[in-house]
């Protein structure tokens, strides 16, 4: 497995693979890789001849008061994880390689990005779309892999790939959880022992909501209120949002009659965690 730090190295490698008639998969990440990331890489390896994993903490998707500086990093471990999972190339550019002096072109989306995480993180999806568009242009993969853990991001990237005619198949992969149900996240490392226990309230509340829907509840507000009430039993939890939205438009629904995304963002202490489920 190779590690590339420049766009040119990636382009040259991919050109060589294409010359050999090989298919290419891409797994974009911000590193500090865990089993969730690994599940994406493993899936990509099973469906493509060669897999590129990008490891880039993208400054453009962080707001001014967010955790860009403290975001956990461990490049040596990430390289080992990628190698172990069967990736062929890790792309880990410096920010100046992705955003040269005078950089001023962005990918923006009018729909899908205003609600959920977009409400409290107004510049986030512009940063995500721009960096993923760049990665698509650099790697030009056949398929790209994203986790349902970041469900809004998955929907946004699917929409962007379609709008901008990338011709890249966007593959959504299931949420990987810790043994006790907490969705795996690089940000879980911010939690102390008490917060780690408190964080279980996210999955617990969602499981109750899901149970209600599976028992036939069609009123989205009722389900939403049950989730909210359960989260509020945890003193360390502060809700950013709890929403039931159409999985197609990401607009809030009143009635559960179409595929619905139940998505939550909750602060546990200073750490903002997200989780969700989709009912089809
Ligand atoms: P990140 O490094 O957090 O930007 O995540 C990179 C990719 O891994 C995104 O597509 C995430 O949705 C995905 N991912 C992160 N955590 C998980 C998880 N627990 N299960 C599945 N996919 C995940």
């Amino acid at each position: 497995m190779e590690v590339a730090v420049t766009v040119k190295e990636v382009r040259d490698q991919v050109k060589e693979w294409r010359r050999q008639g090989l298919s290419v998969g891409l797994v974009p990440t911000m590193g500090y890789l865990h089993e969730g990331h690994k599940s994406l890489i493993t899936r990509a390896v099973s469906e493509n001849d060669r897999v590129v994993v990008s490891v880039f903490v993208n400054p453009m998707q962080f707001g001014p008061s967010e955790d860009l500086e403290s975001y956990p990093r461990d490049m040596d471990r990430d390289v080992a994880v990628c190698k172990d999972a069967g990736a062929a190339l890790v792309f880990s550019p410096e920010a100046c390689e992705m955003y040269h002096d005078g950089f001023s072109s962005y990918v923006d989306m009018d729909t899908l990005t205003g609600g959920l995480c977009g409400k409290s993180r107004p510049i986030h999806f512009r940063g995500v779309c721009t960096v993923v568009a760049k990665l698509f242009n650099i790697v030009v993969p056949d398929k790209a892999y994203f986790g349902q853990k970041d469900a809004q991001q998955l929907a946004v990237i699917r929409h962007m790939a379609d709008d901008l005619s990338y011709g890249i198949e966007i593959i959504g992969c299931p949420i990987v959880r810790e043994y006790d149900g907490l969705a795996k996240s690089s940000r879980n490392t911010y939690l102390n022992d008490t917060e780690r226990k408190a964080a279980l309230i996210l999955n617990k509340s969602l499981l109750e909501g899901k149970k209600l829907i599976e028992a036939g509840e069609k009123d989205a507000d009722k389900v939403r209120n049950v989730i909210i009430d359960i989260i509020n039993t945890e003193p360390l939890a502060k809700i950013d949002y709890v929403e039931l939205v159409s999985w197609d438009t990401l607009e809030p629904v009143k009635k559960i009659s179409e595929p619905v995304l139940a998505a939550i963002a909750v602060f546990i202490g200073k750490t903002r965690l997200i989780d969700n489920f989709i009912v089809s």
Side-chain angles (χ1 to χ4, degrees), residues 187-227:
R187 290 190 168 97
N188 291 349
T189 52
Y190 297 151
L191 303 169
N192 65 30
D193 288 352
T194 321
E195 290 169 340
R196 173 66 182 74
K197 282 191 195 109
L200 292 177
I201 204 68
L202 278 86
N203 185 43
K204 192 175 163 200
S205 68
L206 286 174
L207 285 176
E208 285 305 314
K210 196 169 179 200
K211 223 193 272 173
L212 261 183
I213 296 173
E214 282 168 358
E217 183 58 67
K218 297 268 181 259
D219 184 337
D221 276 342
K222 270 195 191 148
V223 176
R224 184 169 174 267
N225 287 333
V226 164
I227 295 173

Side-chain angles (χ1 to χ4, degrees), residues 28-30 34 36-37 40 146-147 149-150 153 174-176 184:
T29 82
M30 296 206 301
H34 50 64
H37 300 109
L40 269 55
F146 295 85
K149 161 82 188 343
D150 301 271
Q153 171 175 277
I175 301 175
V176 176
K184 289 205 179 239

Side-chain angles (χ1 to χ4, degrees), residues 81-213:
V81 169
C82 291
K83 191 170 177 192
D84 188 49
L89 182 67
V90 172
F91 177 41
S92 65
E94 294 291 335
C96 58
E97 178 70 10
M98 294 296 272
Y99 306 117
H100 56 73
D101 276 351
F103 184 94
S104 64
S105 305
Y106 302 88
V107 179
D108 253 322
M109 192 173 289
D110 284 344
T111 59
L112 303 185
T113 57
L116 305 177
C117 289
K119 210 175 236 170
S120 53
R121 307 186 72 192
I123 61 152
H124 178 67
F125 287 109
R126 169 163 128 144
V128 169
C129 286
T130 303
V131 79
V132 172
K134 279 182 70 79
L135 291 168
F136 284 179
N137 288 329
I138 294 164
V139 179
V140 197
D142 299 286
K143 298 180 182 176
Y145 296 78
F146 295 85
Q148 189 201 304
K149 161 82 188 343
D150 301 271
Q152 186 176 18
Q153 171 175 277
L154 171 60
V156 164
I157 296 299
R158 274 209 177 113
H159 194 73
M160 179 187 84
D162 189 35
D163 275 357
L164 302 184
S165 308
Y166 273 106
I168 296 167
E169 194 180 338
I170 307 301
I171 314 277
C173 302
I175 301 175
V176 176
R177 296 178 180 280
E178 302 283 356
Y179 69 96
D180 55 5
L182 178 66
K184 289 205 179 239
S185 164
S186 308
R187 290 190 168 97
N188 291 349
T189 52
Y190 297 151
L191 303 169
N192 65 30
D193 288 352
T194 321
E195 290 169 340
R196 173 66 182 74
K197 282 191 195 109
L200 292 177
I201 204 68
L202 278 86
N203 185 43
K204 192 175 163 200
S205 68
L206 286 174
L207 285 176
E208 285 305 314
K210 196 169 179 200
K211 223 193 272 173
L212 261 183
I213 296 173

